[in-house]
Amino acid sequence: MTTQTPSRPLTGRVAVVTGASSGIGEASAEHLAELGARVVVLARRAERLDALVARIEKNGGQALALAVDVTDAAAVRTAADRVAAELGGADLLLNNAGVMHFGPIEERARAHGQSQIDLNITGLTNAIAAFTPQLVNAAAERGVADLVSTSSIAAQSVVPGFAVYAGTKAYVSHLSRNLRAELGAKKVRVSVIEPGLVDTELQNHVADAGARAFLESSKEMLEWLEPQDVARTVGFLASLPPRVNLPQVTVMPTGQPG
Ligand code: NDP
């Protein structure tokens, strides 16, 4: 095994990233690979994952693509079994796949509300259930593992029309606080990242034209984060000495008030 160096502090580690076919997950997978980790990239769009793996490998990294719908608990368990068999198990999970919809609760709650709950809550919890045993094993063997989840500043804010999305993200943040109390003693660092506006495909899924126009127009007033900004935060968390855990990190565009 190659040894860790200051520029490759994650050498020897195995990172699983959900929602890796675009945006924050894609950028994080690339960055974690640059830092030396072998990365496993999960999402539904296989061709996007294959292109990401090819890019990582071209840059000298190692990656494995697993096309998985994380709302399917059995499929996530099968993916975890493959990670155990092929890479010896994960010691970092970036639980990041998510979707955001907008709509007054009485109009959109059923369709969009449920799909957000299915992915942002159930999908995220499926990945935790499938990979946490590997994280605990890795931490016992090597002294550290990381469970990092992507929440949102929406977990702390109140914006009419985003109630279900904000509720799902509050779940991610509070679940993480509670899991930290459970897993910290087992040397698994639990962190939640709450980004503000990041320029990704997330906003493309907002069907409401007015809400999309509002989001788009905010780009004229403030500079949004790039996915790489959040990716660097993930890399920073994971590269800290095992005794250091940042439980909750809010990453905001400088000009976004709240
Ligand atoms: P993207 O839309 O670019 O990425 C979402 C990712 O989730 C994609 O890779 C998508 O891949 C994956 N995904 C969607 N559904 C599933 C599924 N059923 N199973 C597996 N993967 C799935 O958006 P972001 O990068 O912005 O979003 C990443 C996270 O960041 C989300 O949790 C989001 O809530 C959060 N966030 C984003 C902010 C922003 O402003 N962009 C701000 C705060 C938080 P595929 O379609 O191939 O399955």
Side-chain angles (χ1 to χ4, degrees), residues 18-26 42-46 48-49 68-72 95-100 118-120 123-124 150-154 165 168-169 193-205 224 227 230:
T18 74
S21 61
S22 61
I24 293 168
E26 181 179 27
L42 269 64
R44 293 166 304 174
R45 286 172 291 177
R48 293 279 295 250
L49 296 178
V68 175
D69 181 337
V70 296
T71 65
D72 179 344
N95 212 358
N96 165 81
V99 70
M100 177 179 76
D118 289 347
L119 178 57
N120 301 0
L124 177 119
T150 314
S151 176
S152 167
I153 189 65
Y165 178 71
T168 65
K169 291 303 178 178
I193 301 184
E194 297 184 338
L197 291 162
V198 189
D199 198 359
T200 68
E201 295 178 11
L202 192 79
Q203 297 78 25
N204 302 352
H205 303 290
W224 287 25
V230 183

Side-chain angles (χ1 to χ4, degrees), residues 35-103:
L35 295 179
R38 288 178 290 165
V39 294
V40 183
V41 291
L42 269 64
R44 293 166 304 174
R45 286 172 291 177
E47 69 292 350
R48 293 279 295 250
L49 296 178
D50 290 342
L52 172 62
V53 167
R55 251 189 350 266
I56 289 172
E57 290 179 343
K58 195 172 164 210
N59 291 330
Q62 286 183 54
L64 171 68
L66 297 177
V68 175
D69 181 337
V70 296
T71 65
D72 179 344
V76 181
R77 280 196 300 273
T78 302
D81 289 345
R82 269 196 72 184
V83 174
E86 295 184 28
L87 298 168
D91 62 25
L92 192 163
L93 171 63
L94 175 59
N95 212 358
N96 165 81
V99 70
M100 177 179 76
H101 293 300
F102 169 90

Side-chain angles (χ1 to χ4, degrees), residues 2-255:
T2 36
T3 46
Q4 290 180 352
T5 62
S7 67
R8 294 174 67 80
L10 302 185
T11 301
R13 298 197 58 180
V14 176
V16 171
V17 180
T18 74
S21 61
S22 61
I24 293 168
E26 181 179 27
S28 298
E30 282 195 281
H31 186 55
L32 293 170
E34 279 164 15
L35 295 179
R38 288 178 290 165
V39 294
V40 183
V41 291
L42 269 64
R44 293 166 304 174
R45 286 172 291 177
E47 69 292 350
R48 293 279 295 250
L49 296 178
D50 290 342
L52 172 62
V53 167
R55 251 189 350 266
I56 289 172
E57 290 179 343
K58 195 172 164 210
N59 291 330
Q62 286 183 54
L64 171 68
L66 297 177
V68 175
D69 181 337
V70 296
T71 65
D72 179 344
V76 181
R77 280 196 300 273
T78 302
D81 289 345
R82 269 196 72 184
V83 174
E86 295 184 28
L87 298 168
D91 62 25
L92 192 163
L93 171 63
L94 175 59
N95 212 358
N96 165 81
V99 70
M100 177 179 76
H101 293 300
F102 169 90
I105 193 75
E106 67 275 27
E107 287 175 25
R108 293 255 164 76
R110 270 193 107 149
H112 288 160
Q114 193 55 50
S115 64
Q116 291 179 102
I117 291 165
D118 289 347
L119 178 57
N120 301 0
I121 294 183
T122 307
L124 177 119
T125 312
N126 287 342
I128 289 172
F131 286 101
T132 298
Q134 296 183 10
L135 300 180
V136 170
N137 282 343
E141 279 173 20
R142 289 166 244 161
V144 71
D146 288 284
L147 169 52
V148 184
S149 300
T150 314
S151 176
S152 167
I153 189 65
Q156 302 179 36
S157 49
V158 173
V159 185
F162 286 104
V164 176
Y165 178 71
T168 65
K169 291 303 178 178
Y171 170 85
V172 178
S173 293
H174 202 52
L175 177 76
S176 299
R177 279 189 281 273
N178 278 272
L179 289 179
R180 183 170 176 272
E182 217 171 297
L183 295 173
K186 297 179 179 172
K187 301 185 177 170
V188 179
R189 300 183 293 199
V190 180
S191 303
V192 66
I193 301 184
E194 297 184 338
L197 291 162
V198 189
D199 198 359
T200 68
E201 295 178 11
L202 192 79
Q203 297 78 25
N204 302 352
H205 303 290
V206 175
D208 184 276
R212 274 177 75 158
F214 169 75
L215 286 165
E216 214 37 52
S217 68
S218 78
K219 288 184 181 164
E220 287 157 27
M221 289 177 279
L222 65 98
E223 186 179 356
W224 287 25
L225 297 177
E226 296 294 330
Q228 290 75 13
D229 301 325
V230 183
R232 287 176 64 188
T233 307
V234 177
F236 176 73
L237 293 177
S239 303
L240 288 165
R243 65 181 175 277
V244 188
N245 175 204
L246 302 190
Q248 182 173 338
V249 182
T250 304
V251 191
M252 296 291 282
T254 303

